[in-house]
Amino acid sequence: MHFEKLTVNKRATQINVDVERVANAAVRTFDKVMGKLRLGGRRAAYDDVAYEFLGGAQDTLRKKHYDKSLRLLWKAEHAAPWTSFKDAGEAEKALLGIAERGLNDAEKSARSRISSKDFKALLDREYTLAEKKALVKILSKIGHGEAYAWLVSASMLNEVKSTGARAAVTMQVMEEAKHFVVLRELIQAFDVGVPRQAVWDYLLLEGCLRAKGLNRFFGMNVLVETIALSIFGMLSDKPGLEVLRLFHLDESRHTALPDNYFREFPMTEWQKKSPSARLSRLVMSLPAVPLVLYLEPELAELGVDVFEFAGSVLRKAVHLAERSGFLLPLPGKPMLAMFNAIFNAYCKATREHHEWRDYMAADTTGGAAEAAIEREIFGTPQAAAAE
Ligand SMILES: [Fe+2]
Ligand SMILES: [Fe+2]
């Protein structure tokens, strides 16, 4: 490369450099003092000398979340061709074309692009009106939840330390945006209207967004995303809902984020164990119980016992919370035993011929791949319930 050099005035350049050096020293010192006095200072948690965000590189977090998210990145144009999305690139389309050439006719027709009209016809063929309404009621809980997941994850960008953690959270923000817009089209395709948030959903999700600092990781990534993961796992093997497998895969990564983050930046014992922190987590979790239990008629319409579903959600959420260090007022085992007793007492009072059941060992995840992913995160239901 040959550049045509221009001449500069060396003396003027030197003066400019000196002015910048003095100004930089003055501004940085002022910001440092203001920061120490907690009166402001530098807004960015960024170290331009080390060329890193405060907290360092943390490449492990980046590899486990940012790199993995990009490897598993899916596009709605391929995964849900009946939607309005045109998000696949030319190179991806060419690759898919090559892959499809290797399929036989039956495989090709199974993968064929279907229009939005065809998709609605498929839903009408596969489900009765009551089943469609039940599916929409259940999915809309997560539909509204994805809006909050998008808001909460974006707010976490300024909460986490290190380049790796920010890269990880950035991918979560992008995935939640995709979940919100794609799930919205899926739910609207049922053509039965979309219910607004019930009071429990509203309180739970507002509580997550209002929570202080890393407690938002507990509310969203541990609690809400475990409910989402369980709903996606329960429905992803149903006709027309196959795209939920990809949501399930993304949510499993999101539920693992707090634990991976705390391995790099552990919480203090006080943050984990203080009575006020334990209590605030309990208060944050309480609306989740009626949120799930009020789904009894809709889950029953799909052949799922609400207490089995609730038991499996509770077991997974408690396991994740304890593993991440988000302790609750009671240790996991007695708390699960308490809920098991309450569920059984309620069923005994309201159902005919109820026999005692260990609801905490139940599992309502349908697809084999999804069950395998959950076993990796939570262990087997029996082992986890016996822990
Ligand atoms: Fe999501
Ligand atoms: Fe998520």
Side-chain angles (χ1 to χ4, degrees):
M1 182 68 208
H2 174 72
F3 292 105
E4 198 80 30
K5 311 279 186 251
L6 304 179
T7 50
V8 292
N9 181 324
K10 284 191 178 156
R11 195 174 133 65
T13 305
Q14 189 54 49
I15 291 171
N16 288 341
V17 169
D18 292 342
V19 167
E20 190 281 334
R21 190 165 44 224
V22 172
N24 205 342
V27 169
R28 303 294 182 118
T29 308
F30 178 76
D31 268 1
K32 213 177 261 175
V33 172
M34 294 301 273
K36 286 236 162 77
L37 295 173
R38 297 186 182 272
L39 293 171
R42 186 176 193 166
R43 286 293 294 271
Y46 181 63
D47 179 353
D48 53 302
V49 177
Y51 193 9
E52 232 25 293
F53 284 93
L54 296 187
Q58 304 305 350
D59 283 339
T60 313
L61 267 170
R62 197 211 72 215
K63 286 176 189 165
K64 279 188 185 167
H65 288 273
Y66 177 88
D67 296 19
K68 195 169 178 186
S69 280
L70 283 174
R71 280 202 304 278
L72 298 174
L73 186 70
W74 54 273
K75 304 288 182 73
E77 187 174 348
H78 287 156
W82 44 269
T83 54
S84 64
F85 294 91
K86 294 279 170 270
D87 53 359
E90 287 308 316
E92 289 167 285
K93 283 183 194 163
L95 269 176
L96 199 75
I98 294 167
E100 278 178 350
R101 257 176 263 151
L103 300 178
N104 61 33
D105 285 348
E107 287 167 331
K108 265 185 201 153
S109 76
R111 282 196 57 94
S112 66
R113 307 270 173 278
I114 62 168
S115 66
S116 136
K117 206 168 131 240
D118 292 339
F119 184 68
K120 286 182 181 179
L122 179 149
L123 295 177
D124 285 336
R125 208 167 49 240
E126 294 287 347
Y127 303 108
T128 64
L129 182 61
E131 286 166 350
K132 280 176 37 172
K133 283 187 174 167
L135 284 167
V136 163
K137 179 95 180 268
I138 296 166
L139 283 173
S140 69
K141 304 267 169 201
I142 300 305
H144 297 305
E146 296 291 2
Y148 278 79
W150 190 353
L151 293 170
V152 172
S153 56
S155 79
M156 289 306 289
L157 262 181
N158 279 328
E159 213 58 63
V160 295
K161 291 184 214 152
S162 82
T163 305
R166 275 168 201 275
V169 173
T170 299
M171 291 314 288
Q172 188 183 349
V173 176
M174 198 205 66
E175 283 160 351
E176 304 302 6
K178 180 169 63 178
H179 291 176
F180 179 74
V181 292
V182 175
L183 192 56
R184 198 163 162 269
E185 288 205 8
L186 173 64
I187 290 173
Q188 287 172 336
F190 280 85
D191 266 342
V192 292
V194 185
R196 71 173 193 178
Q197 289 176 290
V199 62
W200 325 118
D201 321 10
Y202 182 89
L203 290 173
L204 175 66
L205 293 165
E206 281 286 318
C208 291
L209 194 54
R210 277 174 209 194
K212 291 212 174 71
L214 293 168
N215 263 340
R216 292 202 290 277
F217 257 166
F218 168 75
M220 182 50 68
N221 294 57
V222 170
L223 193 59
V224 173
E225 306 220 64
T226 298
I227 300 174
L229 189 82
S230 305
I231 289 180
F232 293 140
M234 177 177 71
L235 298 178
S236 61
D237 61 343
K238 308 290 180 282
L241 303 182
E242 296 82 0
V243 67
L244 299 184
R245 301 208 144 148
L246 300 167
F247 284 72
H248 184 271
L249 211 54
D250 292 344
E251 301 303 4
S252 70
R253 211 158 46 251
H254 302 164
T255 57
L257 182 56
D259 187 36
N260 286 332
Y261 181 74
F262 293 136
R263 280 169 202 262
E264 310 285 345
F265 300 99
M267 278 191 282
T268 62
E269 288 303 298
W270 179 252
Q271 283 174 315
K272 285 187 205 170
K273 295 179 180 165
S274 80
S276 64
R278 288 174 191 256
L279 190 67
S280 78
R281 283 173 209 134
L282 178 71
V283 170
M284 219 195 291
S285 316
L286 283 177
V289 178
L291 183 158
V292 171
L293 295 184
Y294 268 63
L295 283 175
E296 184 172 12
E298 288 76 20
L299 288 168
E301 186 67 37
L302 307 178
V304 176
D305 181 346
V306 69
F307 291 103
E308 289 194 4
F309 180 72
S312 86
V313 169
L314 274 168
R315 182 189 71 246
K316 292 174 210 172
V318 165
H319 177 90
L320 265 191
E322 291 205 321
R323 200 177 67 187
S324 314
F326 286 123
L327 302 183
L328 294 157
L330 271 181
K333 203 173 171 187
M335 193 159 59
L336 291 179
M338 184 187 79
F339 274 109
N340 215 2
I342 295 171
F343 287 3
N344 274 286
Y346 180 87
C347 291
K348 197 156 187 240
T350 60
R351 295 178 177 184
E352 284 175 23
H353 318 301
H354 172 71
E355 278 186 23
W356 191 91
R357 287 212 45 194
D358 185 3
Y359 288 113
M360 301 302 136
D363 204 2
T364 49
T365 294
E370 289 78 352
I373 290 170
E374 290 184 19
R375 267 199 302 281
E376 213 173 283
I377 311 172
F378 307 109
T380 62
Q382 294 73 18
E387 248 173 36

